[in-house]
Amino acid sequence: MAILTIFWHGEKEPNFHWEMRQNSAAQSLTSEQSTDAYQIENHELLKADLNCLSQMAMRATVHLVIASSDAFTTQVQLPKKAQRLLRKAVPFMLEEEVASPVDEMFFALGERSKNEKLEVRAINKNYLEKLIAEFKNAEIEIKALYLDNDFIAAPELGCRLVIDQQECWFINQDNERWSCHTDDFNWLIQKYLATDGDEELPVAIPLEIYAGQECDSFVRNLPVGRFAVEQNYFDDRYQFLLDNQSQPINLLQAEYEPKKETSSSRLFLIQSAKVAGWVLAAFLVYQTTLIYTLSEKKQQLVTQQTSIYKQAFPKVRKVRMPYRSMKSYLSKIGATSGEGNFLTLLSSVSNEIQDLSKIYPTNLSYDNQRKELKLDLIASDLMVLDQFADSLKKAGHSVERSSETQRGSGYSSRITLKKMASQ
């Protein structure tokens, strides 16, 4: 996405300048490309006509650059601990240095310089909020707010000075920077040299001068022998600033920080994540309910197992694992030698009972010593009872019947079943 940089100049100046650059290659668009894309030929516009850039701003990231004379630039020596308290502590530390009350100023914090001092920029809150409101009314969203002299990178050694028309920007190797009128530079640099170190220093300080106009007379007025001057010239002030590889401090911090833009795809992903979250929550609730229900059923089955075990083994007092105990007992009696064991007889009986409406067992007991199974049952009629007994005999069992007793429409009887010895 392209970057639209708006140089707002001073607060009282009526004009502003704009530049458009591609974000990837960081190369300026030509005037012809700008005209074709946005139908704006003039890069110098009146501030009253700011809304002319609204269409252009919709396709770019907007950076606003204000004059350094409308803000306060300094460095503060602070401990590296208690980083959370920096924003509260800095205003009170600079209370004696700023002209306005600190509660009327907004302080933006940057990174620490080479001298371990914290970079601080301060701007009047009313002016800052006025700028934000003015761009909002023009339907232009500001992503970053910079000072113009912050675009000048600090030199590796010595000092760097930028001169354009009647304005000077000064910066040294420790990133200390200030701006002034060209007529005031001589006495300010004398003050800087007086506080910077020994005036009898034999080595000249390297000074890189970048100017937009001829500055030989300016150089001749510098303190004699204190600077080793290197002069450079530029044609376009704005291109020169944008070409510098510096990291300016964004003044839009804390409560003035722009909100992150939510695109349609991002919004769709957020909504999808919310739906997935609700589905997952419902699934977890369902699984929890299911686990609770199964636990209750398991507890009921354990209670039933215990009750059945007590009925089958009334002499046993302590019941620890009824299911395993009954399974072990059935396996034991099922593994008894011979073919007349309990499981064999039970299998034969169950195979011959085809319809419970005709033959209905009511009680079952097994004598392990005698190898016989006693079955109490109710038959629908005597013929059905006779057929059931005959089918057991054909299966190779010895069948003894007790007398039948009529019970309602059916007949109850007891059948004693065991395997024939010959079989």
Side-chain angles (χ1 to χ4, degrees):
M1 196 173 188
I3 296 178
L4 173 62
T5 305
I6 299 176
F7 293 89
W8 198 246
H9 304 314
E11 182 180 3
K12 303 300 181 181
E13 295 186 39
N15 299 334
F16 72 90
H17 182 91
W18 65 268
E19 290 289 338
M20 179 72 77
R21 286 199 169 195
Q22 295 294 346
N23 192 17
S24 56
Q27 295 180 348
S28 179
L29 295 176
T30 64
S31 300
E32 186 176 343
Q33 289 174 318
S34 179
T35 302
D36 293 341
Y38 309 107
Q39 301 300 320
I40 298 177
E41 297 182 2
N42 192 1
H43 282 246
E44 199 76 24
L45 301 174
L46 291 172
K47 292 181 179 179
D49 297 329
L50 177 63
N51 55 357
C52 294
L53 300 181
S54 59
Q55 293 296 326
M56 188 188 307
M58 292 177 61
R59 309 175 189 179
T61 301
V62 180
H63 293 175
L64 178 62
V65 181
I66 63 174
S68 55
S69 57
D70 292 331
F72 176 71
T73 302
T74 188
Q75 293 178 329
V76 179
Q77 187 71 48
L78 285 173
K80 293 184 179 181
K81 297 182 179 179
Q83 295 293 319
R84 295 181 180 179
L85 303 178
L86 289 182
R87 192 170 295 279
K88 295 182 179 179
V90 166
F92 297 99
M93 297 182 65
L94 300 175
E95 192 170 6
E96 301 296 331
E97 299 185 31
V98 295
S100 303
V102 292
D103 56 351
E104 297 179 4
M105 305 287 290
F106 175 74
F107 293 84
L109 308 182
E111 301 294 332
R112 293 181 183 271
S113 302
K114 294 180 182 179
N115 55 5
E116 295 299 324
K117 290 184 178 180
L118 183 70
E119 295 289 339
V120 179
R121 307 291 181 266
I123 184 174
N124 185 274
K125 286 184 179 179
N126 291 333
Y127 180 47
L128 176 60
E129 292 172 357
K130 178 183 175 182
L131 283 174
I132 295 175
E134 189 169 354
F135 275 79
K136 185 177 181 181
N137 291 335
E139 298 182 352
I140 299 176
E141 184 180 3
I142 307 172
K143 291 297 183 181
L145 177 62
Y146 303 127
L147 300 183
D148 49 13
N149 67 349
D150 270 343
F151 281 84
I152 308 301
E156 292 294 330
L157 183 64
C159 306
R160 184 170 290 167
L161 180 66
V162 178
I163 305 172
D164 184 62
Q165 297 178 359
Q166 301 298 317
E167 191 171 8
C168 295
W169 295 332
F170 177 84
I171 179 172
N172 65 8
Q173 61 189 19
D174 293 326
N175 206 37
E176 296 178 357
R177 60 182 72 218
W178 42 268
S179 58
C180 67
H181 194 274
T182 52
D183 296 338
D184 299 328
F185 182 79
N186 281 333
W187 75 269
L188 286 174
I189 198 64
Q190 292 284 359
K191 182 180 178 182
Y192 169 78
L193 293 173
T195 57
D196 190 52
D198 188 1
E199 295 186 4
E200 302 299 328
L201 227 141
V203 181
I205 302 172
L207 175 62
E208 301 175 9
I209 297 181
Y210 294 87
Q213 69 271 356
E214 188 277 328
C215 60
D216 290 339
S217 60
F218 180 88
V219 173
R220 286 194 295 268
N221 292 328
L222 292 174
V224 179
R226 296 310 305 271
F227 294 102
V229 179
E230 177 188 345
Q231 291 182 246
N232 303 277
Y233 294 93
F234 55 82
D235 297 328
D236 191 325
R237 169 188 179 183
Y238 307 107
Q239 298 298 331
F240 170 74
L241 291 178
L242 294 176
D243 287 338
N244 272 271
Q245 300 298 318
S246 64
Q247 296 294 330
I249 299 173
N250 187 2
L251 273 64
L252 297 181
Q253 300 179 9
E255 64 267 28
Y256 297 107
E257 184 176 1
K259 296 181 180 179
K260 293 183 178 180
E261 190 175 307
T262 304
S263 61
S264 57
S265 58
R266 179 181 174 86
L267 185 61
F268 173 75
L269 292 176
I270 292 175
Q271 295 296 332
S272 300
K274 288 182 179 179
V275 172
W278 282 110
V279 172
L280 179 60
F283 176 74
L284 292 176
V285 171
Y286 170 74
Q287 290 296 322
T288 303
T289 306
L290 189 61
I291 291 173
Y292 176 78
T293 304
L294 292 176
S295 299
E296 289 293 322
K297 289 183 178 180
K298 180 181 178 181
Q299 188 62 35
Q300 293 175 3
L301 291 175
V302 171
T303 304
Q304 293 177 4
Q305 290 174 6
T306 305
S307 177
I308 294 173
Y309 186 83
K310 287 182 178 180
Q311 293 177 7
F313 306 96
K315 295 181 179 180
V316 179
R317 296 182 179 180
K318 294 182 179 181
V319 183
R320 294 183 178 179
M321 293 179 289
Y323 177 76
R324 290 187 179 182
S325 299
M326 287 188 290
K327 184 177 180 181
S328 176
Y329 179 76
L330 290 175
S331 298
K332 181 178 179 181
I333 63 176
T336 306
S337 60
E339 297 181 349
N341 57 69
F342 170 71
L343 294 180
T344 303
L345 297 176
L346 183 62
S347 177
S348 299
V349 171
S350 60
N351 290 335
E352 300 300 332
I353 299 177
Q354 302 294 331
D355 190 352
L356 290 177
S357 61
K358 296 181 179 180
I359 298 292
Y360 182 76
T362 58
N363 191 25
L364 183 71
S365 62
Y366 179 73
D367 190 339
N368 192 33
Q369 293 181 352
R370 302 182 63 178
K371 309 295 182 184
E372 61 182 19
L373 180 70
K374 294 182 180 180
L375 177 65
D376 296 332
L377 52 84
I378 297 176
S380 58
D381 53 52
L382 293 177
M383 185 178 295
V384 171
L385 185 59
D386 292 338
Q387 292 176 353
F388 178 66
D390 292 340
S391 62
L392 292 175
K393 291 178 180 179
K394 291 179 180 179
H397 300 294
S398 172
V399 180
E400 296 180 3
R401 291 170 52 181
S402 64
S403 57
E404 293 79 12
T405 304
Q406 187 171 5
R407 295 185 59 178
S409 59
Y411 295 87
S412 64
S413 178
R414 169 174 286 188
I415 294 178
T416 303
L417 182 70
K418 61 181 179 179
K419 200 73 174 179
M420 290 185 178
S422 61
Q423 297 293 330

